[in-house]
Amino acid sequence: MERVADWQVYPDHPTLGEGNTPLVSLEGLAKETGVRALYLKNEGANPTGSHKDRMSRFVVQRALEIGASTVAAASSGNAGVSLAAYAAHVGLACVIVTTPDMNPNWRRAIEMHGATLLATETPERRWLVLADRVRDGNWYPATNFAVPPVGSNPYGVDGYRSLAFEIFLQLGTHPCTDILVPTSRADLLWGIARGYCDLQTAGLVEERPRIHAVEPFGRISRVLAGEDYRGSFAGGSALTSIGGSTVTYQAVDAIASCKGSAVVIGAAAARDDQRRLAHCGFYLELSSAASLTGLRKLVSQGVVASDAVVVLVGTSRGFSEFQTFSNPIALID
C-alpha cells in the first residue's frame, strides 16, 4: 500500500488533485449517536466538490486511450460538473444530457468548463438519447444508459475503490466496523465494498466493515426483502442526488459481500442533520448529510452497535445547492 494508485485500473491518469480527502473524527456526534467512534470521509474536498472526481479521472483516461473525442453523461448535478471539468483538463469535448429544471449553479459550472448541455423532458429519456449516440460511436459514456441499469462506466467505477484504500490507511490500527454511503445506483457503494474485498484478499484486513446504503425511499431495501431488482421503484424526495426509481445488481452484490444493509430516511430528518453537520464545520449537500441520518436510524434499530467505529461518506459539499430566501439579510447602520 505504498501507493494507492498502483491498486487502480490506471496507476497514472489525468488529475486535478482528487483523492486523499480528509477523514475527520466527530467525537461529539459519536456520543450523540451512541457509537464508540465516528468519522466523516469528506469527499467535498475533491476539486469539483464531490466523489465523482474519482470516476471522471478514469473515464477521460479511457476515452483518450481508445481515441474517443467526446465524453458524455446523463446527469443533473455532480457527475456532469465533474466530467466537464476533467474533459476540459485533457482537451476532450463533453456533452451532458440533463433535464430542463437543472439546478442553475450546476448548469453554470458545466457551461463554464465548456461542455455542451442538452435537455430531455424526463430523466429516463436521458438514457435513450445517450444510448443512441453511444451506439452510433459518437460519444464515450461515463454514466449508465441501459435499462435495466447496470451502473456507470466500469473504468470510472473502479476509481471508487480508492476510498476503501484511503480509509484503511487513515484509520491505521483502528479499523472501522461500519460505513454508511448515500446511494442511488450504487457506483460508490460497490467501489468501496470491492476495495475492502481486495484488501482482505491481500491479507491486509481480517474482516470487511459492514457497508450500508442510505436511500430516500424503499428501493434497495425492498429488493433485499425479496423483490426483483430489475423492477421499478417509484418515489420522490428532496434528496435528488440519491433519487431515481431503479436498483442495480451491483448494489445487491456490494451489500451481500460486506454483510451490510439498506436504510430508508426522510428529507426532513436529513435537513436537521445537514444543519447539525454544518454546525460541526461541514456544509454538505442534503443527500450527503443523509449518511448521518441513516446512522441514527441504524443505531436505533440495533443494526449498528454501541461499540461500532463508523465512517460516514460525505459525498459532496453543499455550496452547489440552489436556495431562495424570503427574508432579507439584516442591515446595519
Side-chain angles (χ1 to χ4, degrees):
M1 290 299 297
E2 290 183 4
R3 226 169 64 106
V4 167
D6 291 334
W7 287 57
Q8 301 273 238
V9 63
Y10 288 118
D12 299 301
H13 52 80
T15 180
L16 292 174
E18 69 289 327
N20 293 315
T21 53
L23 185 71
V24 183
S25 176
L26 302 173
E27 295 181 7
L29 282 175
K31 294 178 182 177
E32 185 178 309
T33 55
V35 296
R36 177 157 58 98
L38 180 62
Y39 298 87
L40 175 70
K41 182 65 169 165
N42 185 14
E43 288 295 283
N46 280 305
T48 73
S50 85
H51 68 290
K52 298 292 186 178
D53 291 347
R54 296 179 186 267
M55 178 176 78
S56 295
R57 57 182 175 175
F58 288 163
V59 171
V60 299
Q61 174 64 32
R62 178 61 177 170
L64 292 171
E65 186 175 76
I66 65 172
S69 61
T70 302
V71 291
S75 171
S76 295
N78 292 316
V81 173
S82 179
L83 186 65
Y86 280 79
H89 181 58
V90 300
L92 289 170
C94 179
V95 178
I96 305 300
V97 187
T98 186
T99 53
D101 59 352
M102 182 183 212
N103 177 328
N105 294 334
W106 278 321
R107 174 178 176 174
R108 177 168 173 77
I110 289 170
E111 291 180 334
M112 285 293 289
H113 288 306
T116 299
L117 272 171
L118 302 175
T120 62
E121 292 184 358
T122 65
E124 293 75 18
R125 177 66 182 165
R126 296 177 305 173
W127 290 352
L128 298 176
V129 171
L130 190 60
D132 287 343
R133 300 300 295 270
V134 168
R135 288 166 183 153
D136 288 343
N138 296 317
W139 296 347
Y140 181 68
T143 57
N144 171 73
F145 57 86
V147 180
V150 294
S152 295
N153 184 299
Y155 289 89
V157 173
D158 187 81
Y160 293 137
R161 291 165 58 242
S162 61
L163 272 101
F165 306 148
E166 289 177 18
I167 293 169
F168 164 74
L169 291 170
Q170 288 167 323
L171 287 178
T173 58
H174 303 284
C176 60
T177 60
D178 297 85
I179 301 176
L180 280 87
V181 185
T183 300
S184 177
R185 279 178 287 278
D187 293 337
L188 179 58
L189 187 82
W190 185 90
I192 297 172
R194 180 66 188 193
Y196 269 101
C197 288
D198 293 341
L199 288 168
Q200 187 180 49
T201 299
L204 295 173
V205 297
E206 292 184 7
E207 294 185 12
R208 306 167 199 167
R210 296 190 302 166
I211 298 178
H212 310 280
V214 181
E215 54 182 353
F217 50 87
R219 293 169 310 197
I220 301 170
S221 52
R222 288 167 57 183
V223 170
L224 296 178
E227 294 191 36
D228 190 334
Y229 77 91
R230 294 165 294 185
S232 179
F233 304 86
S237 172
L239 286 77
T240 54
S241 291
I242 53 173
S245 59
T246 58
V247 173
T248 57
Y249 178 77
Q250 66 182 2
V252 181
D253 180 69
I255 290 172
S257 68
C258 290
K259 299 179 181 178
S261 67
V263 58
V264 177
I265 58 98
R271 289 192 193 282
D272 290 340
D273 282 326
Q274 183 185 38
R275 188 174 297 106
R276 183 71 182 88
L277 284 162
H279 287 180
C280 293
F282 301 97
Y283 177 32
L284 303 182
E285 184 185 354
L286 182 61
S287 296
S288 183
S291 58
L292 176 57
T293 315
L295 173 61
R296 294 187 194 277
K297 190 167 183 178
L298 290 178
V299 170
S300 71
Q301 294 173 343
V303 176
V304 173
S306 59
D307 64 346
V309 176
V310 181
V311 173
L312 307 178
V313 180
T315 50
S316 57
R317 62 192 177 205
F319 296 111
S320 60
E321 289 190 333
F322 181 69
Q323 298 287 337
T324 57
F325 298 90
S326 58
N327 58 315
I329 298 175
L331 294 175
I332 60 173
D333 295 329

